Amino acid sequence: MLRTSNHQSKRYALLLAIIGIFCFMTITACGTKTVDLDADFQKILTYKFGDSREPLSVIQDRIRSSHGDQQERLNLERQLAQLLRSESSHDCKDFAFRQLRVIGTNESVKELSKWLVDDKYSDLARYALELNTDLSACKAFRKALGKAQGKTLVGIINSIGERRDEDSVKALEKLATGDDKDVAAAAVDALRKIAG
Amino acid sequence: MSAFIPRALRRIGMSTIKRRSFIKAVTAGAIGAPLIVPSTVFGQNAPSNRFTMGVIGTGSMGTGNMQNFLKRDDVQVIAVCDVDRSRRLEAKKIVEDTYAEKNDRSDFKGCTDYNDFRELIDRKDIDLVTIAVPDHWHSIPAIMAANAGKDIYAEKPLARTIHEGRAIVEAVKKNNIVWQTGSWQRSRSQFHNACELVRNKRIGELKEVLVGLPTGSPLELQQEMPVPDGLDYDFWLGPAPWAPYTEQRCHWNFRWILDYSGGQLTDWAGHHCDIAQWGMDTEDTGPISVEGTGVYPRDGLWDAVTEYHFECMYKNGIKLTVANNKEIPMGAKFIGTEGWVHVDRRGIDANPKSLLTSVIGPDEIHLYRSNNHYANFLSCVKSRKETITPVETAHRSITIGHLGDIAMQLGRKLDWDPDKEKFVNDSEADRMLSRSFRAPWRLPV
């Protein structure tokens, strides 16, 4: 009986450990804690251009009034990031990116970095991330350099130039001598901006 | 060939003016249209005294500016550009009809139209450009044209963001070009006179300035529409985030959408806030704090502020209050310890009334005088002197509008460092000073 109980306890412990590792991996992979969307955020999941903007305005009000309240800011940032992970509409994601432009911290960088190399959303991800002063944002842009191509890559290079990221110089020098003329021109401009 | 030859070729004592290679451009075929304008049409000395001009943006403001330059004998418009084909062709027709009439040649052709402003700027035979495009497009062509050595007449507001405005200022200074902003009120006598009265302390010590600007309007929800034939909509959006096309987004109405402009506030700050700065003698600086409240439409297509009230404090203790005209009458009112002066487009008023006939003596402060904004620009192109609304002045004037907009959007008081052009210990507000550009667009270096 005791042996059985011990055996079961070990199995439970193992199960819990697996669940814990899974949760940890999920959070780490996403960078932002997975959260349940509250009612205000649920309302905008399917928002599309032409719909009433009132539900978006409600969230903007909450963001504005949360200045100085770190806990509420974190909650809002996580929910905005959750919108990006969710089966939300393009225009809902557009809204989330735009809000993260102002309140995004390192908390949402990993989520945003995934979208940097998505051709459809890269511009919006840059819109959110370009002004984020956290070092993790610099790393996200640098990492994206090696994953994007064409116009998406040009945009990422442009953002790096605007951020005056000196640690990207080597990578930019390489791109500046590449075959893609648009990419090379962007890299040259970025290098000139970094050089001041 | 009895062709029009740009003044550029003759140099006429303007050693600092660059890019004078009209013949080269002609022989290289860079100008597509036939050059059949007899020099006699423009007066005895006109060909050697004429600047070549390209017009970027041919909407209502761009066409209006163009028509003013078309009246002048010292300018020849040879190119127009707009992403809306019907607009640029209409502008081209106005140009060619005007010169045909002046020329008494109904078959006059001599104006090339472009969809892409970069092709116009690339033309070495163009001396001057006018820029009157939506605000979100101001910085890129301005910097590229400055880098190409063109002298520029550009519409206000200077730029969509403070960061872009500063980039334009740097480009203009770096390239030593002549810049005139379309803040033409400076070239009207009543504004000049009002500011001179204030500067010469006719109202005593200046304490407060009230600026009234138009009230905005909301617009109901709009649905996506097919892009009209002839409008290069992707180019129209340019560096702004992608958005579905709907008629009320574009052309004149871009002003009421935050992605492209800042509503009546930033549309007019380049006028009456500019006059306030002139009177306050703060043209190369700005306030140290700003706070206020505004009404931003919660629904519908247009989202820029419609009703607003914000206060700016300056280092010297002067308070500037900016509000829509439901609260403060249009114009700028300077209030001093011994009276006040109010000025708007209808005229000037003062208390005491005797101020209205007060003469500024020879040893007093005399402000830059211009009685024609276009002529002032061309005069400065010739003399290489600064215009009445140079780029730094324009930047500082619209900065007031941008600061008010940012403070109202964030809903809190902000401290501003006018030297560093950053908010004080507020990185969140600093993010509102610039925007990421949609690829492939970027601020030119």
Side-chain angles (χ1 to χ4, degrees), chain B residues 183-426:
Chain B
S183 299
W184 53 263
Q185 290 184 168
R186 285 181 176 242
S187 292
R188 291 285 175 88
S189 60
Q190 72 260 34
F191 293 100
H192 176 273
N193 295 346
C195 291
E196 270 194 352
L197 289 171
V198 176
R199 289 277 194 105
N200 285 292
K201 300 188 187 298
R202 292 294 197 277
I203 58 171
E205 290 297 324
L206 181 63
K207 291 294 181 187
E208 187 176 4
V209 184
L210 307 177
V211 166
L213 308 176
T215 304
S217 307
L219 179 75
E220 64 269 22
L221 291 167
Q222 303 290 306
Q223 297 302 314
E224 185 171 3
M225 298 174 177
V227 177
D229 182 45
L231 173 64
D232 188 342
Y233 181 58
D234 188 68
F235 211 138
W236 187 91
L237 286 171
W242 188 87
Y245 175 78
T246 192
E247 188 180 10
Q248 297 295 327
R249 183 187 300 284
C250 297
H251 294 335
W252 184 267
N253 292 321
F254 73 83
R255 288 166 168 78
W256 327 129
I257 299 176
L258 287 171
D259 273 349
Y260 323 117
S261 186
Q264 294 281 13
L265 167 59
T266 57
D267 199 41
W268 277 77
H271 282 310
H272 292 319
C273 289
D274 180 57
I275 296 302
Q277 288 267 101
W278 203 14
M280 286 192 291
D281 194 11
T282 52
E283 293 166 282
D284 59 352
T285 185
I288 56 170
S289 71
V290 57
E291 66 179 316
T293 55
V295 176
Y296 292 82
R298 297 175 67 81
D299 210 347
L301 178 66
W302 299 342
D303 58 357
V305 70
T306 55
E307 299 191 29
Y308 42 95
H309 172 114
F310 63 89
E311 296 174 358
C312 301
M313 287 304 300
Y314 283 70
K315 199 174 180 179
N316 58 9
I318 295 173
K319 182 169 82 171
L320 166 66
T321 302
V322 180
N324 59 298
N325 60 353
K326 284 184 182 174
E327 179 189 334
I328 296 178
M330 287 289 289
K333 183 174 185 178
F334 300 91
I335 302 168
T337 52
E338 296 166 29
W340 55 259
V341 174
H342 177 263
V343 63
D344 66 7
R345 291 182 181 183
R346 292 170 302 176
I348 181 171
D349 195 9
N351 181 33
K353 294 286 183 193
S354 58
L355 293 181
L356 297 174
T357 52
S358 177
V359 176
I360 305 299
D363 296 330
E364 293 188 282
I365 296 168
H366 288 263
L367 296 178
Y368 193 128
R369 184 176 286 282
S370 155
N371 57 17
N372 182 308
H373 218 55
Y374 303 101
N376 173 249
F377 170 59
L378 294 170
S379 167
C380 292
V381 169
K382 291 169 192 165
S383 68
R384 312 311 295 169
K385 289 180 179 169
E386 202 166 64
T387 66
I388 193 165
T389 320
V391 69
E392 179 79 36
T393 296
H395 175 59
R396 297 294 186 165
S397 295
I398 192 53
T399 291
I400 295 168
H402 290 319
L403 291 177
D405 199 25
I406 292 168
M408 292 187 295
Q409 285 193 52
L410 294 177
R412 61 177 188 270
K413 182 183 178 185
L414 301 171
D415 293 320
W416 175 247
D417 183 333
D419 297 326
K420 293 178 182 170
E421 295 192 321
K422 293 275 183 191
F423 291 103
V424 179
N425 300 323
D426 197 330

Side-chain angles (χ1 to χ4, degrees), chain A residues 52-53 61 73 126 193, chain B residues 298-300 409 428 437 443:
Chain A
S52 169
R53 287 193 295 111
D61 290 344
R73 269 295 163 90
R126 289 193 301 109
K193 285 179 182 176
Chain B
R298 297 175 67 81
D299 210 347
Q409 285 193 52
E428 187 176 303
F437 284 7
L443 270 181

Side-chain angles (χ1 to χ4, degrees), chain B residues 88-140:
Chain B
R88 69 173 177 267
L89 292 180
E90 177 62 23
K92 178 180 179 174
K93 185 174 184 306
I94 291 170
V95 171
E96 293 185 334
D97 285 354
T98 302
Y99 290 135
E101 191 178 333
K102 278 188 179 182
N103 205 3
D104 200 20
R105 288 281 302 269
S106 60
D107 59 344
F108 174 84
K109 301 291 175 197
C111 179
T112 310
D113 66 289
Y114 297 94
N115 185 68
D116 188 332
F117 67 87
R118 291 170 296 189
E119 293 176 49
L120 186 152
I121 289 172
D122 277 347
R123 280 181 58 169
K124 303 267 188 291
D125 61 319
I126 290 178
D127 302 325
L128 322 173
V129 297
T130 63
I131 301 174
V133 293
D135 303 2
H136 69 284
W137 256 120
H138 280 192
S139 57
I140 296 175

Side-chain angles (χ1 to χ4, degrees), chain B residues 6-67:
Chain B
R7 177 193 171 283
L9 288 174
R10 310 300 177 92
R11 300 183 66 82
I12 50 172
M14 293 173 54
S15 58
T16 52
I17 294 186
K18 304 176 283 283
R19 52 176 196 277
R20 311 299 190 203
S21 52
F22 183 74
I23 289 173
K24 195 187 289 180
V26 172
T27 53
I31 298 175
L35 296 162
I36 54 170
V37 187
S39 57
T40 51
V41 169
F42 299 98
Q44 286 185 329
N45 301 315
S48 61
N49 284 297
R50 199 171 304 125
F51 296 100
T52 49
M53 175 175 277
V55 176
I56 300 174
T58 57
S60 52
M61 295 307 298
T63 301
N65 290 336
M66 183 185 79
Q67 285 173 317

